[in-house]
Amino acid sequence: MKILSDPSAIEAIKKAKNIVALTGAGISAESGIPTFRGENGLWTKLSPEELASFESFYQNTAVVMEWYKHRQEVIKKCKPNPGHYALCELSSVPEHFNLITQNIDGLHQRAGSRDVVELHGNLLENYCVRCGQKYSIEEFDDVFNNAMNHVPRCNCGGLIRPNVVWFGEALPRENLELAYNATIQSDVFLSIGTSAQVRPAADLPVLAKQGGAFLIEINTQHTVLSEEADLILQGNSGEILPQLVEDIKTLLPKA
Ligand code: BV8
Ligand code: ZN
């Protein structure tokens, strides 16, 4: 056991049939994608309401779309890190594994994870608010670069927006239900790289705990969730997760 020495954690993992991982911006920090609330977090310069909301999209389309275009460029240059790959490896160890993410960067999928439950959408997908036509990232680049003052429009004249969930918008129903169902059945719940402040995603680890799951928090800092956690593994998820997955593989024979 390299990282797991806590007897209750070892006990819980040995008996675990369902493991759930919830990830936030912190798991992508080591890939070079800035978090939201860290020292150089995106929102330290601009408030979330100014950018990630439907109102600002309509009132300040060019500003909001330039911000999202910038983030798309950052994401395209970034690669998954050992934390993403470790969760992909973990998926085949317990009987059931669910990966739920708040992130919109698609790095879990690029690391090979399948059936990723994206709660807040995916920044590399865009669609027309009027006719719903979907735009791949390449098609969107085209439209954006030829758009009048960076306000990308569909052939039907409608505005094109990123396929992400803004503040005040409902999460995709199907994914939220998948996340709730997996959470209430979880035996071990990993909360990874999230400040656990944005709801309803932030409710999931608490729900897991209420359902009797063993709650493990992996974060560089303490969060509002820390006192609920049964075990805190403090540090970089890119370093902790590969070791944790090795330990889980030792404790849990392959499903
Ligand atoms: C909803 C996509 C209802 C967009 C995001 C008032 C008005 C309206 C709504 C509300 C309100 N008050 C409360 C709400 C609810 C609101 C909310 O929770 N607000 C918070 C701020 C209080 N939620 C909503 O609005 C949600 N919708 O409630 O709808 C409804 C229902 C029916 C019908 C209509 C409406 C929608 C929320 C989704 C918002 N969209 N993203 C975009 O990205 O541009 S949220 C966005 O922020 C992320 O997706 C993510 O969820 C969140 C950021 O959180 P984290 O991922 O945790 O990132 P953060 O930087 O905070 O933390 C990183 C952590 O990693 C830190 O703890 C750090 O220590 C750690 N870390 C750093 N490096 C590492 C590390 N850990 C490990 N290793 C490292 N190397
Ligand atoms: Zn259209």
Side-chain angles (χ1 to χ4, degrees):
M1 296 307 132
K2 285 205 269 327
I3 197 156
L4 273 186
S5 53
D6 175 291
S8 45
I10 290 171
E11 210 32 54
I13 288 170
K14 272 185 176 165
K15 291 187 300 195
K17 296 239 176 307
N18 297 333
I19 297 182
V20 170
L22 169 70
T23 62
I27 196 170
S28 296
E30 291 156 87
S31 294
I33 299 183
T35 61
F36 294 79
R37 294 173 179 77
E39 55 294 341
N40 56 359
L42 286 171
W43 288 341
T44 45
K45 301 168 188 76
L46 302 152
S47 87
E49 286 69 24
E50 278 166 0
L51 290 159
S53 83
F54 203 72
E55 294 68 33
S56 5
F57 172 69
Y58 258 117
Q59 284 149 20
N60 265 320
T61 312
V63 171
V64 171
M65 290 315 289
E66 276 160 22
W67 182 51
Y68 278 107
K69 186 77 178 61
H70 165 72
R71 290 171 69 190
Q72 285 168 351
E73 294 313 312
V74 169
I75 285 173
K76 281 192 258 178
K77 291 190 198 101
C78 292
K79 290 193 177 51
N81 65 59
H84 296 103
Y85 290 111
L87 289 182
C88 181
E89 201 177 328
L90 179 59
S91 61
S92 59
V93 180
E95 243 175 78
H96 301 287
F97 176 79
N98 291 88
L99 176 52
I100 304 166
T101 189
Q102 302 172 81
N103 299 339
I104 59 175
D105 56 34
L107 288 184
H108 285 301
Q109 292 91 326
R110 284 171 52 194
S113 289
R114 290 198 309 279
D115 309 325
V116 179
V117 180
E118 291 179 319
L119 292 180
H120 297 154
N122 188 313
L123 187 49
L124 298 184
E125 297 163 3
N126 300 275
Y127 66 92
C128 167
V129 294
R130 181 185 288 174
C131 71
Q133 181 178 336
K134 290 193 169 67
Y135 285 78
S136 70
I137 194 65
E138 295 72 25
E139 291 162 336
F140 176 74
D141 279 356
D142 227 5
V143 174
F144 185 87
N145 295 332
N146 298 313
M148 288 277 285
N149 56 43
H150 283 173
V151 177
R153 284 190 182 276
C154 172
N155 320 332
C156 79
L159 287 172
I160 300 174
R161 63 165 284 181
N163 182 24
V164 297
V165 178
W166 281 327
F167 283 102
E169 287 187 326
L171 276 62
R173 189 181 174 71
E174 196 189 324
N175 286 2
L176 192 52
E177 271 171 21
L178 273 170
Y180 276 131
N181 290 335
T183 295
I184 52 178
Q185 296 174 59
S186 62
D187 301 310
V188 171
F189 191 99
L190 309 173
S191 178
I192 305 161
T194 179
S195 61
Q197 291 181 34
V198 174
R199 324 209 88 68
D203 300 331
L204 295 175
V206 178
L207 213 58
K209 181 97 178 137
Q210 285 165 354
F214 189 87
L215 178 59
I216 300 176
E217 179 175 53
I218 297 165
N219 199 309
T220 42
Q221 292 164 13
H222 274 228
T223 71
V224 290
L225 190 66
S226 300
E227 62 239 32
E228 288 274 330
D230 296 299
L231 174 68
I232 295 176
L233 298 174
Q234 186 147 1
N236 289 323
S237 49
E239 290 154 26
I240 291 174
L241 282 171
Q243 294 178 61
L244 177 63
V245 171
E246 281 314 303
D247 287 358
I248 294 176
K249 281 162 69 174
T250 317
L251 293 167
L252 264 182
K254 219 158 159 71

